[in-house]
Amino acid sequence: MAHADLIEEIMALKKQRNAIILAHSYQRPEIQDIADFVGDSLALARHARQAECDVIAFCGVRFMAETACILNPSRTVLLPDAEANCSLEASCPAAELAEFLEKNREKNYYVIAYINCSIGVKALADVIVTSGNAHTIVANSPQDRPLLFVPDANLGAWCARHTGRTMTLWNGACHVHRLFTRDHILRTKEEHPEAEVICHPECEEVVRLLANHICSTEKMIDYCRESKAKSFIIVTETGILHRLRKLVPGKEFIPVQLEKCSCAECEFMKLNTLEKLRDCLLNLSPRVQVPEELRQRALQPLQRMLELSR
Ligand code: 13P
Ligand code: SF4
């Protein structure tokens, strides 16, 4: 089917289903281009909560669609590819976290969970954070309880350094952000000496140390817009480059060149395609649903996050 016909079909289905299309900044450019809203995890969570449609077609990964279900349970939430998971989420199974908390019951940890985790982990957390609000929420966490940060050790270490708070870190990581090494950054910088290095906090510390600025995907847009620099080496998943080029015209955005593959792509994010988006709107499947009891428990730390990051 021709691209234009496919888009037309998606738009007709969207209308028929009274649906909106939400897309994360790592989605394929053609999905970003037809989405009603594109953003980072925090903006998408806010958008999903206030969505007044019947159906949310969530072009992202499972934990994001689950978050939409938790925040807005009366909507039908679709994930174009049911296999769109997240390696960071997988690095912290809820059963392992529950066992750890049980074994360390006397410590009475205040659990701070990065939104890239399952609903089971969210239900065990005291507060959720995203890369856009993590340092503020960590800074304002209770002083009278030890802090446990799950699942991303890199984001946790960055927040600890940034805020001066001591935290026990779960040993989880995102396989995409772990691809970047010091050598990759130095080599790319050698080819573009004038460019600023902008890095996502999910990257390893040796990489973060080379950055001019460290921030969430959404804040990258504001930073690059406001910076006097004309070119930027973007150290995160390459999907954001499309958004940066669209929203910050006249500046150059350079992906980091890796050895084995050309650049860092999240294969889970890229599972969603226009065809699968059309099919999910047509079939109202794959649909993401969450058990109500678990939803209630996961809702509290999510609401706490939204209140703390207004
Ligand atoms: P943000 O969109 O919150 O910056 O997170 C990046 C990410 O890895 C999402 O999977
Ligand atoms: Fe998960 Fe990493 Fe993919 Fe983000 S980029 S969805 S953290 S695997």
Side-chain angles (χ1 to χ4, degrees):
M1 182 185 275
H3 184 74
D5 293 340
L6 183 54
I7 305 255
E8 205 174 302
E9 203 181 334
I10 292 170
M11 291 306 154
L13 281 163
K14 200 177 86 145
K15 201 166 169 198
Q16 184 190 328
R17 297 296 192 193
N18 187 25
I20 57 161
I21 299 170
L22 301 185
H24 188 265
S25 306
Y26 296 164
Q27 289 294 289
R28 295 170 184 275
E30 60 274 22
I31 290 187
Q32 294 190 31
D33 287 346
I34 60 156
D36 294 287
F37 180 78
V38 186
D40 68 350
S41 309
L42 180 60
L44 287 166
R46 286 197 178 116
H47 230 80
R49 182 167 70 156
Q50 70 198 29
E52 280 172 4
C53 53
D54 296 322
V55 172
I56 299 173
F58 210 117
C59 299
V61 290
R62 179 166 294 274
F63 76 81
M64 297 177 176
E66 267 182 6
T67 302
C69 292
I70 298 166
L71 291 170
N72 203 341
S74 56
R75 312 295 167 221
T76 297
V77 179
L78 306 172
L79 183 63
D81 191 306
E83 301 300 315
N85 294 309
C86 168
S87 60
L88 183 50
E89 170 186 336
S91 67
C92 183
E96 278 181 33
L97 176 59
E99 197 185 321
F100 177 87
L101 292 173
E102 186 54 39
K103 268 194 195 146
N104 294 280
R105 192 194 268 266
E106 76 295 345
K107 292 219 169 80
N108 191 23
Y109 278 118
Y110 184 79
V111 182
I112 304 170
Y114 186 30
I115 199 164
N116 296 38
C117 65
S118 66
I119 185 171
V121 168
K122 287 186 178 75
L124 293 167
D126 290 287
V127 69
I128 307 297
V129 300
T130 72
S131 52
N133 59 22
H135 53 282
T136 314
I137 292 179
V138 167
N140 291 301
S141 291
Q143 299 283 349
D144 57 349
R145 285 174 69 185
L147 307 181
L148 171 67
F149 191 95
V150 302
D152 190 10
N154 289 319
L155 176 65
W158 177 66
C159 289
R161 180 178 279 260
H162 213 71
T163 59
R165 297 298 301 269
T166 303
M167 295 197 286
T168 299
L169 307 177
W170 191 268
N171 191 20
C174 156
H175 75 294
V176 180
H177 289 87
R178 280 183 82 177
L179 288 174
F180 301 114
T181 65
R182 208 180 131 75
D183 284 353
H184 293 138
I185 312 302
L186 291 175
R187 212 170 43 216
T188 316
K189 182 82 182 158
E190 223 170 79
E191 285 166 26
H192 305 274
E194 74 298 338
E196 282 195 8
V197 177
I198 315 297
C199 176
H200 194 280
E202 283 177 29
C203 295
E204 305 273 350
E205 186 175 26
V206 286
V207 169
R208 295 198 307 272
L209 286 171
L210 296 172
N212 294 87
H213 191 66
I214 302 166
C215 61
S216 69
T217 51
E218 203 66 28
K219 290 189 177 158
M220 286 183 184
I221 295 163
D222 298 333
Y223 180 84
C224 294
R225 197 180 269 138
E226 280 155 29
S227 166
K228 286 196 175 73
K230 291 274 177 273
S231 56
F232 304 87
I233 296 165
I234 302 297
V235 195
T236 191
E237 212 272 354
T238 52
I240 188 70
L241 293 165
H242 178 67
R243 240 182 122 208
L244 283 163
R245 288 174 183 142
K246 246 171 116 167
L247 296 178
V248 193
K251 295 198 177 183
E252 189 190 8
F253 298 100
I254 304 149
V256 177
Q257 293 302 314
L258 305 176
E259 278 134 34
K260 291 193 189 103
C261 43
S262 58
C263 38
E265 283 202 342
C266 174
E267 62 271 40
F268 298 116
M269 284 280 181
K270 271 28 183 195
L271 279 175
N272 298 321
T273 60
L274 283 181
E275 285 79 5
K276 291 179 197 169
L277 174 58
R278 184 259 328 268
D279 292 346
C280 81
L281 285 167
L282 187 65
N283 306 318
L284 291 182
S285 167
R287 182 175 175 183
V288 176
Q289 285 173 294
V290 296
E292 181 55 20
E293 185 269 335
L294 205 52
R295 188 189 78 79
Q296 291 285 351
R297 286 197 282 135
L299 180 61
Q300 291 172 24
L302 264 171
Q303 273 175 335
R304 193 163 294 140
M305 170 189 84
L306 292 169
E307 278 158 24
L308 290 170
S309 54
R310 244 182 276 209

